[in-house]
Amino acid sequence: MKVDMKKMHTIGEAADICYVSRKTLRFYEELGLLVPDHVSPQNNYRYYSEDTVMLIPILKYYKQMGFHLQEMTGLSDTNDYFFHQRNFLSKLDSLKKEEERIQNCSEAVSDWISLLNEGTIAMENQMGSINLKYIEREHFYFLEESFEYDYKKSIININWTNYLEKSESEITGPVILEFSDYQAKAEGRIREATIMQKPVRNSKFLLPRRDFGGQMFLCMYHLGNHRTIDEKYRILVDWALEHKYQIGPNCYERYVIDFWSTQDPNKFVTEIMVPIIK
C-alpha cells in the first residue's frame, strides 16, 4: 500500500510536537503502545500519521493518572470505551490501596516524630515529676509473652513482629508493656507481660484487640537505663498512699525513646502508668 509521506511525521517531528523524546517514542514502540505507521526499508526511519501522533497525549494522560506503561497495552487497538472504563475502575481500586498505604506510613512516621519530640523534651527538662492524667480509651493489638527483664528482647520483639506480619496487621506508636502486678514488677518477680501497640488507621483488624485507657492514671517518666526503673514504682506507691489513692493492681510501661531509636541506655525515656482511683 502506497504511503502519502506528505501526511506523515518523522520521529523527530512527532517528538517535538508532543514534547517527548525520541527515546521515549522508541520505548513506546518496543512495548507496542505506539507503533509507527511506516518504517522505511532503506534507512529504518520511522514515520507517524496524525492519528498515531494524537495517541501520545492519551498515553501522557494515562501516565498522569498513575498508570504504568505496561497497564496501557491495547489503548491504540480498541474502539470500545468500556475498555477505558474497566481500566479506570481497576486503577481506582489500586490507587485507593496505595492511598491507604501512604496514609499508614505517614501516620507511623508522624507518631515516631512525636515520640522523639516528647522524649527530647522530657530528657532536656529532666521531667521526673508525678502526674495524674486521664487517658482516652483506644483499641490495641496485644500478645501475651514471658518476661525475663530483658527489655531489648521485649521491646524489639521478634515474636510480636512475626505475629503482626502473618495477618498483615500494621501498628503505630510506642511499644507498651502491661504487667498484671505492679508490686511484683517493682520487686523483679513478674514473669509475664502483654505487649501492646495501636493499629494504624487502615489496619485490616484481623487480630484480637483490647481496650486501653478510659480512666485515670498515675504517671511518671523514668529517664535513663531500664535497670533502675523499679525505683520509680516505690515513689508512685508512696505518693498514692500519701494522697489516699488506690493504685493498680496492673501497670504499664510506655517506651518513648528506647532501643528502636538509640542504643545509648542513658538516653532512654519511659513513662510508667498505673491505674488509679480515689
Side-chain angles (χ1 to χ4, degrees), residues 193-204:
T194 300
I195 185 170
M196 306 190 309
Q197 274 185 287
K198 186 173 71 172
V200 291
R201 73 181 79 178
N202 296 310
S203 179
K204 297 179 180 179

Side-chain angles (χ1 to χ4, degrees), residues 15 38 46 58 60 110 120 125 138 159-160 198 251 275:
H38 177 69
R46 269 89 171 132
I58 297 176
K60 282 185 170 183
S110 296
T120 299
N125 293 279
E138 291 186 290
N159 290 337
W160 175 240
K198 186 173 71 172
C251 64

Side-chain angles (χ1 to χ4, degrees), residues 29-45:
E29 181 182 352
E30 289 179 16
L31 295 176
L33 299 177
L34 194 77
V35 180
D37 296 274
H38 177 69
V39 179
S40 171
Q42 287 80 28
N43 52 26
N44 284 329
Y45 284 0

Side-chain angles (χ1 to χ4, degrees), residues 159-206:
N159 290 337
W160 175 240
T161 302
N162 292 342
Y163 174 69
L164 294 169
E165 281 188 349
K166 284 179 182 178
S167 62
E168 299 180 5
S169 300
E170 299 181 8
I171 43 78
T172 183
V175 170
I176 298 176
L177 291 184
E178 179 187 11
F179 304 98
S180 61
D181 187 329
Y182 75 88
Q183 290 180 320
K185 173 62 174 65
E187 295 169 3
R189 297 184 289 106
I190 204 78
R191 291 296 176 262
E192 292 182 344
T194 300
I195 185 170
M196 306 190 309
Q197 274 185 287
K198 186 173 71 172
V200 291
R201 73 181 79 178
N202 296 310
S203 179
K204 297 179 180 179
F205 298 115
L206 299 177

